[in-house]
Amino acid sequence: MHRIAVLALLVAAAPAAAQEPASWGESLNFSTFSIAAVDPATGEVGVAVTTRVPCVGNAVPHVRAGVGAVATQATTRVEYGPQLLALLERGVAPEEALRQALAGDTLEARRQVGVIGRDGRSAQHTGTGTTAWAGHRAGRNFVTQGNLLVGPAVLDSVAAAFEASASSGRHLADRLIDALAAGQAAGGDARKGRAQSAAVVVADPRPGRSRRPDGTTADINVCEHAEPVAELRRIYNTISETLGFRTLQQQAGSDVWQLKLMLHALGYYRAGEPELARDSTAFIYTQEAVAAVDAFRRAEGLAGPDLGVAPGLVDAETVARLWAALERAGKADAVRRLIHDLTAVRR
């Protein structure tokens, strides 16, 4: 379910009174560890979190571009996110904002909250009723907190990893995922055999950095996965197209030569040659062959690079269209004879 939809349901479920009854608060228990941080060089604010409960990203992390970030967990009060960010936006210091938010909260002892402002000032609360091991720590431009952990080494590892990347120039989301992975490697959540989730949310106040009006840039919510932090990293690397997220290679093989023979018969590849010569590049998917495929796809009304399709895409539909075009041209049987020997199995 989409984050906004889930939050809307949660808010709708809360009574109109200022403080929810214990039964409502107990229904959202995210025993977890998280890091909320800012990057003073870019103005980015963000939160990364993981737990052994599904869909942690729908309740714990909250960010506001140019304002700050909040992680609300343990017996989670989702409203602390927008409430604390609104106070920060009005100029209230994080410590005072957190004091105001906790005032009158009958479940204060079971809450855990970390808040950090755009300027790096922060505040944290770990209630006495949270499940051990529970605690928090703060450093320059970050706060990390957790409950029901294997021990303090989890937060120590999160902090050390984030501090180590401070002068790296890497994007905040990238650094937050690494910090989360360090905490996971140190043992993380003490529970085993439970569904797991992880999330990272970052907002950037700089013009043109986000496609959304609220400034959110990264919003990855792994609702359930056997290795959610690793999946968070995989998704981040994929959508950022970081080198290594996929294997790069130039295709080569007899299927490429078959493709060239088909395109030649249809007049898209080396049409000026009466017979296609098998040269040193015959079995290599060259740029010339890519261009021929794109030309064929355009002629067939199939999407091409101008619509975001990878250049030279030859999928099952393209192959079917090639054979259909050859049939219409009365050349299918001749091409089949040409490729007959190429497709023989000799192993």
Side-chain angles (χ1 to χ4, degrees):
M1 186 180 292
H2 192 278
R3 169 195 308 283
I4 295 175
V6 172
L7 291 180
L9 288 172
L10 295 175
V11 172
Q19 179 57 51
E20 301 82 18
S23 60
W24 185 87
E26 289 172 358
S27 67
L28 280 173
N29 196 321
F30 285 95
S31 298
T32 181
F33 70 96
S34 64
I35 175 171
V38 302
D39 186 336
T42 63
E44 292 171 289
V45 296
V47 178
V49 58
T50 186
T51 185
R52 287 185 177 272
V53 176
C55 302
V56 67
N58 293 346
V60 171
H62 302 264
V63 302
R64 189 170 297 179
V67 177
V70 174
T72 170
Q73 54 201 54
T75 300
T76 306
R77 186 168 191 256
V78 175
E79 282 78 2
Y80 276 157
Q83 180 184 2
L84 288 166
L85 291 171
L87 288 169
L88 293 185
E89 195 165 25
R90 282 164 35 197
V92 179
E95 286 191 3
E96 175 59 20
L98 188 55
R99 187 195 67 77
Q100 289 184 28
L102 291 170
D105 185 349
T106 58
L107 295 179
E108 171 270 340
R110 294 166 56 186
R111 312 284 194 198
Q112 187 172 53
V113 187
V115 54
I116 188 166
R118 164 68 179 81
D119 58 5
R121 292 185 297 169
S122 65
Q124 293 171 279
H125 167 76
T126 298
T128 57
T130 53
T131 307
W133 187 88
H136 59 256
R137 61 170 297 181
R140 187 176 182 183
N141 299 316
F142 76 91
V143 289
T144 180
Q145 44 281 317
N147 60 95
L148 218 170
L149 305 182
V150 297
V154 176
L155 299 190
D156 291 343
S157 298
V158 171
F162 189 76
E163 289 170 338
S165 66
S167 59
S168 65
R170 292 160 58 191
H171 298 294
L172 183 59
D174 188 19
R175 297 174 59 202
L176 289 172
I177 294 171
D178 263 10
L180 202 66
Q184 186 81 336
D189 191 319
R191 294 168 293 183
K192 306 300 176 187
R194 294 282 298 274
Q196 300 180 66
S197 61
V200 62
V201 188
V202 171
D204 193 326
R206 294 174 293 176
R209 301 297 295 191
S210 172
R211 292 185 174 93
R212 290 172 40 159
D214 64 0
T216 301
T217 49
D219 187 352
I220 309 172
N221 186 1
V222 180
C223 225
E224 193 283 322
H225 195 275
E227 298 289 344
V229 179
E231 179 66 1
L232 204 64
R233 167 55 66 191
R234 186 197 66 78
I235 294 171
Y236 178 86
N237 285 352
T238 299
I239 62 178
S240 64
E241 298 188 340
T242 300
L243 182 62
F245 84 94
R246 61 181 175 183
T247 299
L248 298 178
Q249 63 180 3
Q250 185 177 47
Q251 301 290 350
S254 65
D255 57 338
V256 176
W257 180 237
Q258 294 169 51
L259 173 66
K260 289 177 179 178
L261 288 169
M262 297 169 80
L263 290 166
H264 177 261
L266 292 169
Y268 290 97
Y269 183 77
R270 299 186 182 180
E273 300 179 11
E275 185 176 335
L276 197 58
R278 190 184 295 192
D279 58 20
S280 61
T281 65
F283 289 81
I284 299 174
Y285 200 17
T286 60
Q287 184 56 46
E288 183 183 11
V290 168
V293 167
D294 290 342
F296 172 77
R297 289 179 62 88
R298 281 194 301 273
E300 289 288 310
L302 298 173
D306 56 326
L307 294 178
V309 174
L313 176 66
V314 179
D315 55 6
E317 182 180 15
T318 309
V319 174
R321 293 289 190 98
L322 282 165
W323 282 115
L326 288 166
E327 291 285 358
R328 291 194 302 270
K331 297 181 178 181
D333 287 342
V335 170
R336 286 192 180 96
R337 286 193 295 271
L338 284 173
I339 69 172
H340 180 267
D341 194 51
L342 289 169
T343 56
V345 175
R346 297 180 172 87
R347 300 175 185 273

PDB file of all heavy atoms in Angstrom, residues 8-47:
ATOM      1  N   ALA A   8      -2.880   8.136   5.779  1.00  0.00           N
ATOM      2  CA  ALA A   8      -4.235   8.672   5.838  1.00  0.00           C
ATOM      3  C   ALA A   8      -5.142   7.765   6.643  1.00  0.00           C
ATOM      4  O   ALA A   8      -5.965   8.224   7.434  1.00  0.00           O
ATOM      5  CB  ALA A   8      -4.783   8.858   4.414  1.00  0.00           C
ATOM      6  N   LEU A   9      -4.997   6.459   6.459  1.00  0.00           N
ATOM      7  CA  LEU A   9      -5.804   5.506   7.218  1.00  0.00           C
ATOM      8  C   LEU A   9      -5.489   5.587   8.697  1.00  0.00           C
ATOM      9  O   LEU A   9      -6.375   5.528   9.551  1.00  0.00           O
ATOM     10  CB  LEU A   9      -5.561   4.096   6.709  1.00  0.00           C
ATOM     11  CG  LEU A   9      -6.151   3.765   5.329  1.00  0.00           C
ATOM     12  CD1 LEU A   9      -5.652   2.407   4.879  1.00  0.00           C
ATOM     13  CD2 LEU A   9      -7.660   3.796   5.380  1.00  0.00           C
ATOM     14  N   LEU A  10      -4.193   5.734   9.022  1.00  0.00           N
ATOM     15  CA  LEU A  10      -3.804   5.788  10.421  1.00  0.00           C
ATOM     16  C   LEU A  10      -4.362   7.028  11.094  1.00  0.00           C
ATOM     17  O   LEU A  10      -4.856   6.993  12.216  1.00  0.00           O
ATOM     18  CB  LEU A  10      -2.271   5.775  10.533  1.00  0.00           C
ATOM     19  CG  LEU A  10      -1.587   4.492  10.057  1.00  0.00           C
ATOM     20  CD1 LEU A  10      -0.071   4.664  10.099  1.00  0.00           C
ATOM     21  CD2 LEU A  10      -2.003   3.324  10.916  1.00  0.00           C
ATOM     22  N   VAL A  11      -4.269   8.169  10.387  1.00  0.00           N
ATOM     23  CA  VAL A  11      -4.785   9.409  10.962  1.00  0.00           C
ATOM     24  C   VAL A  11      -6.287   9.322  11.124  1.00  0.00           C
ATOM     25  O   VAL A  11      -6.861   9.740  12.121  1.00  0.00           O
ATOM     26  CB  VAL A  11      -4.394  10.608  10.061  1.00  0.00           C
ATOM     27  CG1 VAL A  11      -5.078  11.870  10.542  1.00  0.00           C
ATOM     28  CG2 VAL A  11      -2.887  10.796  10.086  1.00  0.00           C
ATOM     29  N   ALA A  12      -6.959   8.739  10.114  1.00  0.00           N
ATOM     30  CA  ALA A  12      -8.413   8.619  10.192  1.00  0.00           C
ATOM     31  C   ALA A  12      -8.837   7.738  11.351  1.00  0.00           C
ATOM     32  O   ALA A  12      -9.898   7.926  11.942  1.00  0.00           O
ATOM     33  CB  ALA A  12      -8.951   8.050   8.878  1.00  0.00           C
ATOM     34  N   ALA A  13      -7.979   6.759  11.705  1.00  0.00           N
ATOM     35  CA  ALA A  13      -8.327   5.838  12.781  1.00  0.00           C
ATOM     36  C   ALA A  13      -8.183   6.471  14.154  1.00  0.00           C
ATOM     37  O   ALA A  13      -8.721   5.981  15.135  1.00  0.00           O
ATOM     38  CB  ALA A  13      -7.439   4.603  12.697  1.00  0.00           C
ATOM     39  N   ALA A  14      -7.435   7.582  14.255  1.00  0.00           N
ATOM     40  CA  ALA A  14      -7.199   8.207  15.553  1.00  0.00           C
ATOM     41  C   ALA A  14      -8.405   9.018  15.985  1.00  0.00           C
ATOM     42  O   ALA A  14      -9.059   9.665  15.184  1.00  0.00           O
ATOM     43  CB  ALA A  14      -5.973   9.111  15.464  1.00  0.00           C
ATOM     44  N   PRO A  15      -8.735   9.017  17.290  1.00  0.00           N
ATOM     45  CA  PRO A  15      -9.844   9.818  17.771  1.00  0.00           C
ATOM     46  C   PRO A  15      -9.507  11.290  17.736  1.00  0.00           C
ATOM     47  O   PRO A  15      -8.358  11.689  17.599  1.00  0.00           O
ATOM     48  CB  PRO A  15     -10.029   9.313  19.217  1.00  0.00           C
ATOM     49  CG  PRO A  15      -8.699   8.754  19.586  1.00  0.00           C
ATOM     50  CD  PRO A  15      -8.112   8.198  18.333  1.00  0.00           C
ATOM     51  N   ALA A  16     -10.504  12.129  17.872  1.00  0.00           N
ATOM     52  CA  ALA A  16     -10.315  13.570  17.770  1.00  0.00           C
ATOM     53  C   ALA A  16      -9.557  14.138  18.954  1.00  0.00           C
ATOM     54  O   ALA A  16      -8.972  15.210  18.877  1.00  0.00           O
ATOM     55  CB  ALA A  16     -11.677  14.262  17.636  1.00  0.00           C
ATOM     56  N   ALA A  17      -9.568  13.461  20.089  1.00  0.00           N
ATOM     57  CA  ALA A  17      -8.891  13.975  21.280  1.00  0.00           C
ATOM     58  C   ALA A  17      -7.397  14.083  21.042  1.00  0.00           C
ATOM     59  O   ALA A  17      -6.839  13.464  20.153  1.00  0.00           O
ATOM     60  CB  ALA A  17      -9.153  13.033  22.462  1.00  0.00           C
ATOM     61  N   ALA A  18      -6.729  14.886  21.882  1.00  0.00           N
ATOM     62  CA  ALA A  18      -5.294  15.156  21.703  1.00  0.00           C
ATOM     63  C   ALA A  18      -4.454  13.916  21.899  1.00  0.00           C
ATOM     64  O   ALA A  18      -3.400  13.779  21.311  1.00  0.00           O
ATOM     65  CB  ALA A  18      -4.852  16.249  22.666  1.00  0.00           C
ATOM     66  N   GLN A  19      -4.900  12.983  22.728  1.00  0.00           N
ATOM     67  CA  GLN A  19      -4.088  11.806  23.018  1.00  0.00           C
ATOM     68  C   GLN A  19      -4.866  10.523  22.738  1.00  0.00           C
ATOM     69  O   GLN A  19      -6.005  10.375  23.162  1.00  0.00           O
ATOM     70  CB  GLN A  19      -3.653  11.826  24.493  1.00  0.00           C
ATOM     71  CG  GLN A  19      -2.825  10.632  24.901  1.00  0.00           C
ATOM     72  CD  GLN A  19      -1.591  10.507  24.022  1.00  0.00           C
ATOM     73  OE1 GLN A  19      -0.867  11.464  23.847  1.00  0.00           O
ATOM     74  NE2 GLN A  19      -1.365   9.339  23.469  1.00  0.00           N
ATOM     75  N   GLU A  20      -4.248   9.614  21.992  1.00  0.00           N
ATOM     76  CA  GLU A  20      -4.907   8.367  21.642  1.00  0.00           C
ATOM     77  C   GLU A  20      -4.977   7.430  22.847  1.00  0.00           C
ATOM     78  O   GLU A  20      -4.129   7.490  23.725  1.00  0.00           O
ATOM     79  CB  GLU A  20      -4.122   7.643  20.536  1.00  0.00           C
ATOM     80  CG  GLU A  20      -3.971   8.439  19.265  1.00  0.00           C
ATOM     81  CD  GLU A  20      -2.829   9.428  19.393  1.00  0.00           C
ATOM     82  OE1 GLU A  20      -1.989   9.268  20.287  1.00  0.00           O
ATOM     83  OE2 GLU A  20      -2.804  10.378  18.599  1.00  0.00           O
ATOM     84  N   PRO A  21      -5.964   6.551  22.867  1.00  0.00           N
ATOM     85  CA  PRO A  21      -6.012   5.541  23.923  1.00  0.00           C
ATOM     86  C   PRO A  21      -4.891   4.540  23.737  1.00  0.00           C
ATOM     87  O   PRO A  21      -4.366   4.378  22.640  1.00  0.00           O
ATOM     88  CB  PRO A  21      -7.385   4.887  23.719  1.00  0.00           C
ATOM     89  CG  PRO A  21      -7.696   5.109  22.277  1.00  0.00           C
ATOM     90  CD  PRO A  21      -7.113   6.451  21.949  1.00  0.00           C
ATOM     91  N   ALA A  22      -4.553   3.839  24.802  1.00  0.00           N
ATOM     92  CA  ALA A  22      -3.447   2.880  24.757  1.00  0.00           C
ATOM     93  C   ALA A  22      -3.667   1.819  23.691  1.00  0.00           C
ATOM     94  O   ALA A  22      -2.731   1.379  23.049  1.00  0.00           O
ATOM     95  CB  ALA A  22      -3.274   2.225  26.119  1.00  0.00           C
ATOM     96  N   SER A  23      -4.917   1.410  23.493  1.00  0.00           N
ATOM     97  CA  SER A  23      -5.173   0.349  22.525  1.00  0.00           C
ATOM     98  C   SER A  23      -4.744   0.753  21.124  1.00  0.00           C
ATOM     99  O   SER A  23      -4.219  -0.055  20.370  1.00  0.00           O
ATOM    100  CB  SER A  23      -6.669  -0.009  22.528  1.00  0.00           C
ATOM    101  OG  SER A  23      -7.448   1.122  22.180  1.00  0.00           O
ATOM    102  N   TRP A  24      -4.963   2.028  20.766  1.00  0.00           N
ATOM    103  CA  TRP A  24      -4.548   2.486  19.442  1.00  0.00           C
ATOM    104  C   TRP A  24      -3.034   2.528  19.346  1.00  0.00           C
ATOM    105  O   TRP A  24      -2.446   2.080  18.379  1.00  0.00           O
ATOM    106  CB  TRP A  24      -5.126   3.872  19.173  1.00  0.00           C
ATOM    107  CG  TRP A  24      -4.834   4.352  17.772  1.00  0.00           C
ATOM    108  CD1 TRP A  24      -5.591   4.107  16.656  1.00  0.00           C
ATOM    109  CD2 TRP A  24      -3.726   5.130  17.334  1.00  0.00           C
ATOM    110  NE1 TRP A  24      -5.024   4.686  15.550  1.00  0.00           N
ATOM    111  CE2 TRP A  24      -3.872   5.322  15.939  1.00  0.00           C
ATOM    112  CE3 TRP A  24      -2.622   5.678  17.972  1.00  0.00           C
ATOM    113  CZ2 TRP A  24      -2.952   6.048  15.194  1.00  0.00           C
ATOM    114  CZ3 TRP A  24      -1.706   6.399  17.222  1.00  0.00           C
ATOM    115  CH2 TRP A  24      -1.874   6.573  15.846  1.00  0.00           C
ATOM    116  N   GLY A  25      -2.378   3.070  20.358  1.00  0.00           N
ATOM    117  CA  GLY A  25      -0.923   3.181  20.341  1.00  0.00           C
ATOM    118  C   GLY A  25      -0.262   1.822  20.282  1.00  0.00           C
ATOM    119  O   GLY A  25       0.736   1.631  19.596  1.00  0.00           O
ATOM    120  N   GLU A  26      -0.816   0.843  20.981  1.00  0.00           N
ATOM    121  CA  GLU A  26      -0.223  -0.482  21.018  1.00  0.00           C
ATOM    122  C   GLU A  26      -0.323  -1.189  19.670  1.00  0.00           C
ATOM    123  O   GLU A  26       0.434  -2.101  19.380  1.00  0.00           O
ATOM    124  CB  GLU A  26      -0.913  -1.321  22.096  1.00  0.00           C
ATOM    125  CG  GLU A  26      -0.565  -0.858  23.519  1.00  0.00           C
ATOM    126  CD  GLU A  26      -1.398  -1.582  24.558  1.00  0.00           C
ATOM    127  OE1 GLU A  26      -2.242  -2.383  24.159  1.00  0.00           O
ATOM    128  OE2 GLU A  26      -1.213  -1.312  25.744  1.00  0.00           O
ATOM    129  N   SER A  27      -1.267  -0.769  18.826  1.00  0.00           N
ATOM    130  CA  SER A  27      -1.455  -1.452  17.556  1.00  0.00           C
ATOM    131  C   SER A  27      -0.356  -1.129  16.563  1.00  0.00           C
ATOM    132  O   SER A  27      -0.218  -1.800  15.556  1.00  0.00           O
ATOM    133  CB  SER A  27      -2.818  -1.071  16.959  1.00  0.00           C
ATOM    134  OG  SER A  27      -2.820   0.298  16.590  1.00  0.00           O
ATOM    135  N   LEU A  28       0.413  -0.071  16.821  1.00  0.00           N
ATOM    136  CA  LEU A  28       1.519   0.304  15.945  1.00  0.00           C
ATOM    137  C   LEU A  28       2.805   0.229  16.746  1.00  0.00           C
ATOM    138  O   LEU A  28       3.284   1.225  17.284  1.00  0.00           O
ATOM    139  CB  LEU A  28       1.323   1.726  15.421  1.00  0.00           C
ATOM    140  CG  LEU A  28       0.359   1.899  14.249  1.00  0.00           C
ATOM    141  CD1 LEU A  28       0.138   3.364  13.969  1.00  0.00           C
ATOM    142  CD2 LEU A  28       0.896   1.202  13.018  1.00  0.00           C
ATOM    143  N   ASN A  29       3.360  -0.967  16.830  1.00  0.00           N
ATOM    144  CA  ASN A  29       4.578  -1.143  17.615  1.00  0.00           C
ATOM    145  C   ASN A  29       5.724  -1.495  16.674  1.00  0.00           C
ATOM    146  O   ASN A  29       5.832  -2.625  16.206  1.00  0.00           O
ATOM    147  CB  ASN A  29       4.372  -2.249  18.668  1.00  0.00           C
ATOM    148  CG  ASN A  29       5.450  -2.185  19.739  1.00  0.00           C
ATOM    149  OD1 ASN A  29       6.614  -1.919  19.445  1.00  0.00           O
ATOM    150  ND2 ASN A  29       5.049  -2.420  20.972  1.00  0.00           N
ATOM    151  N   PHE A  30       6.554  -0.496  16.399  1.00  0.00           N
ATOM    152  CA  PHE A  30       7.705  -0.698  15.532  1.00  0.00           C
ATOM    153  C   PHE A  30       8.985  -0.702  16.363  1.00  0.00           C
ATOM    154  O   PHE A  30       9.654   0.323  16.508  1.00  0.00           O
ATOM    155  CB  PHE A  30       7.765   0.386  14.452  1.00  0.00           C
ATOM    156  CG  PHE A  30       6.742   0.191  13.368  1.00  0.00           C
ATOM    157  CD1 PHE A  30       5.522   0.843  13.415  1.00  0.00           C
ATOM    158  CD2 PHE A  30       6.992  -0.673  12.319  1.00  0.00           C
ATOM    159  CE1 PHE A  30       4.571   0.654  12.423  1.00  0.00           C
ATOM    160  CE2 PHE A  30       6.042  -0.874  11.318  1.00  0.00           C
ATOM    161  CZ  PHE A  30       4.834  -0.204  11.371  1.00  0.00           C
ATOM    162  N   SER A  31       9.260  -1.858  16.969  1.00  0.00           N
ATOM    163  CA  SER A  31      10.549  -2.040  17.632  1.00  0.00           C
ATOM    164  C   SER A  31      11.583  -2.136  16.523  1.00  0.00           C
ATOM    165  O   SER A  31      11.487  -3.014  15.650  1.00  0.00           O
ATOM    166  CB  SER A  31      10.531  -3.305  18.484  1.00  0.00           C
ATOM    167  OG  SER A  31       9.560  -3.187  19.505  1.00  0.00           O
ATOM    168  N   THR A  32      12.562  -1.252  16.548  1.00  0.00           N
ATOM    169  CA  THR A  32      13.372  -1.055  15.362  1.00  0.00           C
ATOM    170  C   THR A  32      14.600  -0.232  15.678  1.00  0.00           C
ATOM    171  O   THR A  32      14.792   0.202  16.818  1.00  0.00           O
ATOM    172  CB  THR A  32      12.519  -0.312  14.309  1.00  0.00           C
ATOM    173  OG1 THR A  32      13.290  -0.135  13.134  1.00  0.00           O
ATOM    174  CG2 THR A  32      12.099   1.057  14.797  1.00  0.00           C
ATOM    175  N   PHE A  33      15.438   0.003  14.670  1.00  0.00           N
ATOM    176  CA  PHE A  33      16.475   1.019  14.799  1.00  0.00           C
ATOM    177  C   PHE A  33      16.473   1.886  13.551  1.00  0.00           C
ATOM    178  O   PHE A  33      16.090   1.436  12.458  1.00  0.00           O
ATOM    179  CB  PHE A  33      17.851   0.421  15.072  1.00  0.00           C
ATOM    180  CG  PHE A  33      18.490  -0.330  13.930  1.00  0.00           C
ATOM    181  CD1 PHE A  33      19.400   0.282  13.079  1.00  0.00           C
ATOM    182  CD2 PHE A  33      18.201  -1.673  13.721  1.00  0.00           C
ATOM    183  CE1 PHE A  33      20.005  -0.409  12.054  1.00  0.00           C
ATOM    184  CE2 PHE A  33      18.802  -2.386  12.695  1.00  0.00           C
ATOM    185  CZ  PHE A  33      19.707  -1.751  11.854  1.00  0.00           C
ATOM    186  N   SER A  34      16.867   3.128  13.722  1.00  0.00           N
ATOM    187  CA  SER A  34      16.778   4.094  12.638  1.00  0.00           C
ATOM    188  C   SER A  34      17.881   5.126  12.765  1.00  0.00           C
ATOM    189  O   SER A  34      18.552   5.238  13.797  1.00  0.00           O
ATOM    190  CB  SER A  34      15.414   4.794  12.673  1.00  0.00           C
ATOM    191  OG  SER A  34      15.286   5.542  13.877  1.00  0.00           O
ATOM    192  N   ILE A  35      18.041   5.899  11.709  1.00  0.00           N
ATOM    193  CA  ILE A  35      18.927   7.052  11.724  1.00  0.00           C
ATOM    194  C   ILE A  35      18.222   8.178  10.988  1.00  0.00           C
ATOM    195  O   ILE A  35      17.667   7.976   9.908  1.00  0.00           O
ATOM    196  CB  ILE A  35      20.308   6.751  11.092  1.00  0.00           C
ATOM    197  CG1 ILE A  35      21.155   8.030  11.026  1.00  0.00           C
ATOM    198  CG2 ILE A  35      20.178   6.087   9.732  1.00  0.00           C
ATOM    199  CD1 ILE A  35      22.590   7.798  10.617  1.00  0.00           C
ATOM    200  N   ALA A  36      18.195   9.346  11.605  1.00  0.00           N
ATOM    201  CA  ALA A  36      17.679  10.554  10.973  1.00  0.00           C
ATOM    202  C   ALA A  36      18.854  11.515  10.866  1.00  0.00           C
ATOM    203  O   ALA A  36      19.625  11.669  11.812  1.00  0.00           O
ATOM    204  CB  ALA A  36      16.557  11.167  11.807  1.00  0.00           C
ATOM    205  N   ALA A  37      18.986  12.144   9.712  1.00  0.00           N
ATOM    206  CA  ALA A  37      20.200  12.927   9.489  1.00  0.00           C
ATOM    207  C   ALA A  37      19.969  14.059   8.512  1.00  0.00           C
ATOM    208  O   ALA A  37      18.962  14.111   7.797  1.00  0.00           O
ATOM    209  CB  ALA A  37      21.323  12.014   8.974  1.00  0.00           C
ATOM    210  N   VAL A  38      20.933  14.985   8.489  1.00  0.00           N
ATOM    211  CA  VAL A  38      20.924  16.089   7.536  1.00  0.00           C
ATOM    212  C   VAL A  38      22.303  16.174   6.888  1.00  0.00           C
ATOM    213  O   VAL A  38      23.293  15.699   7.441  1.00  0.00           O
ATOM    214  CB  VAL A  38      20.591  17.433   8.225  1.00  0.00           C
ATOM    215  CG1 VAL A  38      19.247  17.359   8.924  1.00  0.00           C
ATOM    216  CG2 VAL A  38      21.679  17.817   9.216  1.00  0.00           C
ATOM    217  N   ASP A  39      22.341  16.754   5.710  1.00  0.00           N
ATOM    218  CA  ASP A  39      23.609  17.036   5.035  1.00  0.00           C
ATOM    219  C   ASP A  39      23.715  18.551   4.907  1.00  0.00           C
ATOM    220  O   ASP A  39      23.015  19.157   4.089  1.00  0.00           O
ATOM    221  CB  ASP A  39      23.643  16.381   3.649  1.00  0.00           C
ATOM    222  CG  ASP A  39      24.999  16.531   2.963  1.00  0.00           C
ATOM    223  OD1 ASP A  39      25.735  17.480   3.306  1.00  0.00           O
ATOM    224  OD2 ASP A  39      25.320  15.700   2.104  1.00  0.00           O
ATOM    225  N   PRO A  40      24.576  19.189   5.708  1.00  0.00           N
ATOM    226  CA  PRO A  40      24.658  20.645   5.680  1.00  0.00           C
ATOM    227  C   PRO A  40      25.138  21.202   4.344  1.00  0.00           C
ATOM    228  O   PRO A  40      24.839  22.353   4.007  1.00  0.00           O
ATOM    229  CB  PRO A  40      25.644  20.958   6.807  1.00  0.00           C
ATOM    230  CG  PRO A  40      26.439  19.706   6.990  1.00  0.00           C
ATOM    231  CD  PRO A  40      25.502  18.590   6.685  1.00  0.00           C
ATOM    232  N   ALA A  41      25.851  20.396   3.570  1.00  0.00           N
ATOM    233  CA  ALA A  41      26.373  20.870   2.286  1.00  0.00           C
ATOM    234  C   ALA A  41      25.272  20.991   1.238  1.00  0.00           C
ATOM    235  O   ALA A  41      25.327  21.855   0.358  1.00  0.00           O
ATOM    236  CB  ALA A  41      27.468  19.934   1.791  1.00  0.00           C
ATOM    237  N   THR A  42      24.268  20.117   1.315  1.00  0.00           N
ATOM    238  CA  THR A  42      23.213  20.102   0.307  1.00  0.00           C
ATOM    239  C   THR A  42      21.855  20.543   0.847  1.00  0.00           C
ATOM    240  O   THR A  42      20.962  20.876   0.061  1.00  0.00           O
ATOM    241  CB  THR A  42      23.045  18.690  -0.268  1.00  0.00           C
ATOM    242  OG1 THR A  42      22.626  17.801   0.782  1.00  0.00           O
ATOM    243  CG2 THR A  42      24.365  18.187  -0.859  1.00  0.00           C
ATOM    244  N   GLY A  43      21.695  20.499   2.159  1.00  0.00           N
ATOM    245  CA  GLY A  43      20.400  20.794   2.755  1.00  0.00           C
ATOM    246  C   GLY A  43      19.473  19.601   2.797  1.00  0.00           C
ATOM    247  O   GLY A  43      18.327  19.706   3.263  1.00  0.00           O
ATOM    248  N   GLU A  44      19.928  18.437   2.336  1.00  0.00           N
ATOM    249  CA  GLU A  44      19.089  17.238   2.359  1.00  0.00           C
ATOM    250  C   GLU A  44      18.785  16.815   3.798  1.00  0.00           C
ATOM    251  O   GLU A  44      19.618  16.972   4.683  1.00  0.00           O
ATOM    252  CB  GLU A  44      19.797  16.082   1.654  1.00  0.00           C
ATOM    253  CG  GLU A  44      19.983  16.236   0.165  1.00  0.00           C
ATOM    254  CD  GLU A  44      20.884  15.157  -0.388  1.00  0.00           C
ATOM    255  OE1 GLU A  44      22.103  15.196  -0.105  1.00  0.00           O
ATOM    256  OE2 GLU A  44      20.367  14.278  -1.097  1.00  0.00           O
ATOM    257  N   VAL A  45      17.600  16.278   4.007  1.00  0.00           N
ATOM    258  CA  VAL A  45      17.205  15.692   5.285  1.00  0.00           C
ATOM    259  C   VAL A  45      16.650  14.309   5.002  1.00  0.00           C
ATOM    260  O   VAL A  45      16.026  14.085   3.955  1.00  0.00           O
ATOM    261  CB  VAL A  45      16.145  16.563   6.007  1.00  0.00           C
ATOM    262  CG1 VAL A  45      16.718  17.923   6.363  1.00  0.00           C
ATOM    263  CG2 VAL A  45      14.893  16.736   5.140  1.00  0.00           C
ATOM    264  N   GLY A  46      16.891  13.346   5.902  1.00  0.00           N
ATOM    265  CA  GLY A  46      16.420  12.009   5.608  1.00  0.00           C
ATOM    266  C   GLY A  46      16.374  11.083   6.797  1.00  0.00           C
ATOM    267  O   GLY A  46      16.930  11.377   7.860  1.00  0.00           O
ATOM    268  N   VAL A  47      15.710   9.957   6.606  1.00  0.00           N
ATOM    269  CA  VAL A  47      15.584   8.906   7.621  1.00  0.00           C
ATOM    270  C   VAL A  47      15.752   7.560   6.926  1.00  0.00           C
ATOM    271  O   VAL A  47      15.228   7.344   5.826  1.00  0.00           O
ATOM    272  CB  VAL A  47      14.209   8.937   8.320  1.00  0.00           C
ATOM    273  CG1 VAL A  47      14.100   7.791   9.338  1.00  0.00           C
ATOM    274  CG2 VAL A  47      13.963  10.266   9.001  1.00  0.00           C
TER     275      VAL A  47
END
